[in-house]
Amino acid sequence: MHTLLAGVAILLPTFLLLRFLATTSIRHIVIQSCRAIADRLHLHQTYTVPQFDPTTLLPNPLYSRVAAYLSSLQHADSSAAATNLLSGSNPSHDIILSPDPNRHVITDRFLSALLSWSNHPASSPASGCKFVLCLRKKDKRRILRPYLQHILSVSEDVGREIKSFTTHFAPSAAAAESPWRAVPFAHPATMETVVMDADLKGKVKSDLELFLKSKQYYHRLGRAWKRSYLLHGPPGTGKSSFVAAMARFLCFDVYEIDFSKFADDSDLLKLLSQTTPRSVVVIEDLDRILANSSGNLSLSGLLKFMDGIGCEERVMIYTMTSKEGIDPSVLRPGRIDVQIHFPLCDFPAFKALAGNYLGVKEHKLFPQVEEVFLSGASLSPAEIGEIMIANRGSPSRALKSVITALQAADAAASDARAVRLMRESRASAAAAAAGDDGGGGVFCRESVHTVREFRKLYGLLRIGSRRKEESSVPSSELGGGSGPLEKEGRIEGGGAKS
């Protein structure tokens, strides 16, 4: 009995080892040998898809398409190919499966033909990685073109992660390295969360969808397949959030251009040429850039950039505070296709903000808020949003804080108007005093009388504003104030209407 058990103890591990070798190492050796023999007999044809164009060093769009397609073939429980598990920065934090860059073979079947892909690591920083496609020569004529079309079709349907890029340096600073530096795109804004007139939002979405389907139409007209948008309005009205929502709606990468990195116009044009198709190119504060005459960029260089010659499948977005004083050549149709105004908050926008921030659709204080808006008071959506965030635990306190802030803003605007009128009257009085001696005295007396009238008006406005403050809601009812707005005054950032 002991002899039998000892024999089993010896034979069982040996049997398991041989079985393991037969299913792994021996099988792998046989397969590799067969492939080596087939390669020597030239039975296969290989095609290389480089990450960068060898002549221009620009990114190869087909490489990203192939990577997206191969990721759709991967399965976490598959042992046929080695893959990397990555977490995306999209809101759902989906797991992304990416081919491992160590020449592991990924097999695919198309029209009954067997194909294989291998991912080769970069030999140098300038060369980048490359995919190598291998297929039988006898299948090449039959399947190659349909297979490549299949890859392009599937890669467009695969939900890819949006990337955001900022300018790292001027394009001429280092020819072998891209001037764009990738940063996480984590802005959560969507077309559903931004606060905007529903009809206007629907028109923008329809315009973007139509643009995506109009490649052949643009080419038939002899125009570059691009679309340009101008978003203009005061700070804090949601322009930056709407840019992010547009990019997420299109599933386009985002390129943000920093003009401080450029030496001349040629740098700007080179930078545009190194953006990829299916991207949103953003220039913020265009009015400030145009007003900075001491910069190295000229108006003609900026106009060439806006024309986007050679750019395909791109959406150009420009933001500015005001169109006043802008050269008409900048705003002409063709350079700017769609203009969208982002105003200060009105009552309908306020109700949408209250629904987003406080979860309130109706409230007993809404009529009072509407009355304050009708009197001419207004704040930016970002300012109102900050008040609601600071008081989100109590909708009533948040609404009372908004009413107080609107009344204070209205009083401050009235004071500013009175001061401006008084300064204008003083200037006119000084100009009249320095004028013709014959009629100067009469004009001077009339101007002094006007100044006195404006001083009386300013005093009455001050009394009225103090009465408004005394009749407004006491701060004790607001839970200790309205948050950051009372401490720091107006918020001048590019806040989000979301």
Side-chain angles (χ1 to χ4, degrees):
M1 186 65 179
H2 290 288
T3 305
L4 179 61
L5 292 175
V8 172
I10 294 173
L11 292 176
L12 183 59
T14 305
F15 171 75
L16 293 175
L17 178 61
L18 291 174
R19 183 179 178 183
F20 174 76
L21 293 175
T23 57
T24 56
S25 300
I26 296 176
R27 180 187 175 190
H28 179 74
I29 292 172
V30 172
I31 292 175
Q32 291 297 325
S33 301
C34 293
R35 286 178 177 169
I37 295 172
D39 290 340
R40 288 182 180 275
L41 296 176
H42 301 286
L43 298 178
H44 288 85
Q45 178 77 43
T46 59
Y47 297 90
T48 301
V49 183
Q51 186 176 4
F52 300 102
D53 188 326
T55 56
T56 63
L57 297 179
L58 296 178
N60 179 13
L62 182 58
Y63 180 87
S64 59
R65 295 290 187 92
V66 171
Y69 173 75
L70 294 179
S71 67
S72 70
L73 299 178
Q74 308 303 319
H75 299 281
D77 58 349
S78 173
S79 59
T83 59
N84 294 323
L85 296 176
L86 307 174
S87 176
S89 62
N90 50 340
S92 60
H93 297 288
D94 292 334
I95 300 298
I96 301 171
L97 294 97
S98 175
D100 191 282
N102 290 311
R103 302 197 179 190
H104 292 288
V105 176
I106 301 171
T107 58
D108 189 17
R109 283 191 176 275
F110 183 76
L111 298 179
S112 303
L114 182 65
L115 308 97
S116 64
W117 288 93
S118 56
N119 189 15
H120 294 238
S123 57
S124 66
S127 63
C129 302
K130 61 182 178 181
F131 289 113
V132 177
L133 169 65
C134 181
L135 72 160
R136 288 177 176 271
K137 282 188 176 181
K138 67 176 185 179
D139 296 329
K140 180 182 70 171
R141 188 184 298 266
R142 180 173 63 93
I143 71 161
L144 180 58
R145 187 175 295 275
Y147 182 62
L148 294 177
Q149 293 295 331
H150 170 69
I151 289 175
L152 296 177
S153 177
V154 172
S155 63
E156 289 181 357
D157 296 334
V158 175
R160 66 184 184 93
E161 181 183 8
I162 301 175
K163 300 182 182 66
S164 180
F165 298 87
T166 58
T167 44
H168 185 38
F169 49 75
S172 57
E177 186 180 355
S178 172
W180 293 105
R181 178 172 56 188
V183 296
F185 183 80
H187 203 299
T190 65
M191 283 293 187
E192 288 68 35
T193 60
V194 293
V195 174
M196 175 183 280
D197 178 75
D199 292 338
L200 177 59
K201 187 190 297 186
K203 290 179 180 178
V204 174
K205 292 170 67 175
S206 299
D207 186 74
L208 292 173
E209 290 172 343
L210 184 61
F211 166 74
L212 292 177
K213 304 173 184 176
S214 302
K215 179 178 181 179
Q216 299 301 327
Y217 177 75
Y218 274 76
H219 288 177
R220 183 166 61 84
L221 296 177
R223 296 183 56 171
W225 186 27
K226 69 178 184 67
R227 195 74 170 155
S228 301
Y229 292 82
L230 173 65
L231 315 182
H232 60 97
T237 51
K239 299 185 292 294
S240 298
S241 292
F242 194 67
V243 171
M246 292 174 72
R248 199 171 291 282
F249 178 77
L250 295 167
C251 201
F252 277 18
D253 292 333
V254 180
Y255 288 84
E256 298 184 55
I257 295 181
D258 182 1
F259 275 80
S260 64
K261 299 289 194 302
F262 305 125
D264 51 36
D265 297 336
S266 62
D267 285 344
L268 184 60
L269 298 176
K270 289 177 184 176
L271 195 70
L272 179 61
S273 68
Q274 297 191 33
T275 60
T276 60
R278 298 180 63 83
S279 61
V280 174
V281 182
V282 183
I283 294 182
E284 296 202 73
D285 300 325
L286 181 60
D287 50 345
R288 180 180 56 82
I289 296 170
L290 293 170
N292 184 18
S293 57
S294 62
N296 297 323
L297 298 175
S298 65
L299 177 60
S300 61
L302 180 62
L303 295 180
K304 290 179 182 178
F305 172 88
M306 297 179 71
D307 290 336
I309 299 176
C311 288
E312 287 285 293
E313 203 172 2
R314 289 169 177 81
V315 172
M316 319 283 284
I317 302 180
Y318 311 93
T319 71
M320 62 174 60
T321 301
S322 173
K323 297 190 298 181
E324 185 178 353
I326 300 299
D327 193 308
S329 62
V330 176
L331 304 178
R332 72 162 177 80
R335 291 199 174 107
I336 299 295
D337 301 311
V338 180
Q339 300 186 22
I340 305 175
H341 180 230
F342 286 75
L344 293 174
C345 192
D346 55 10
F347 183 65
F350 165 81
K351 292 185 67 175
L353 289 173
N356 287 351
Y357 284 86
L358 305 175
V360 175
K361 300 300 181 183
E362 293 294 337
H363 196 277
K364 62 181 180 180
L365 291 176
F366 275 8
Q368 187 176 351
V369 176
E370 183 177 14
E371 183 180 351
V372 178
F373 273 114
L374 291 175
S375 68
S378 186
L379 292 171
S380 72
E383 292 172 312
I384 293 178
E386 286 298 320
I387 296 174
M388 291 180 175
I389 289 175
N391 300 276
R392 60 186 179 274
S394 172
S396 296
R397 185 172 67 242
L399 297 181
K400 291 176 182 177
S401 300
V402 170
I403 293 172
T404 302
L406 286 169
Q407 290 174 341
D410 187 32
S414 299
D415 292 348
R417 285 194 296 269
V419 171
R420 186 177 66 255
L421 290 172
M422 187 168 60
R423 288 176 179 174
E424 291 175 355
S425 65
R426 286 178 177 176
S428 62
D436 187 8
D437 292 336
V442 175
F443 288 112
C444 183
R445 283 193 297 271
E446 292 179 354
S447 300
V448 171
H449 177 72
T450 305
V451 171
R452 290 174 180 171
E453 292 297 325
F454 276 114
R455 285 179 178 173
K456 291 180 180 178
L457 174 61
Y458 178 70
L460 292 174
L461 288 172
R462 293 287 296 175
I463 294 172
S465 64
R466 282 197 295 269
R467 288 177 178 175
K468 283 185 179 181
E469 293 175 0
E470 292 172 358
S471 62
S472 62
V473 182
S475 60
S476 59
E477 296 182 18
L478 306 181
S482 59
L485 189 66
E486 286 191 353
K487 299 177 182 177
E488 302 178 8
R490 288 288 188 95
I491 301 173
E492 294 296 333
K497 291 170 63 177
S498 58

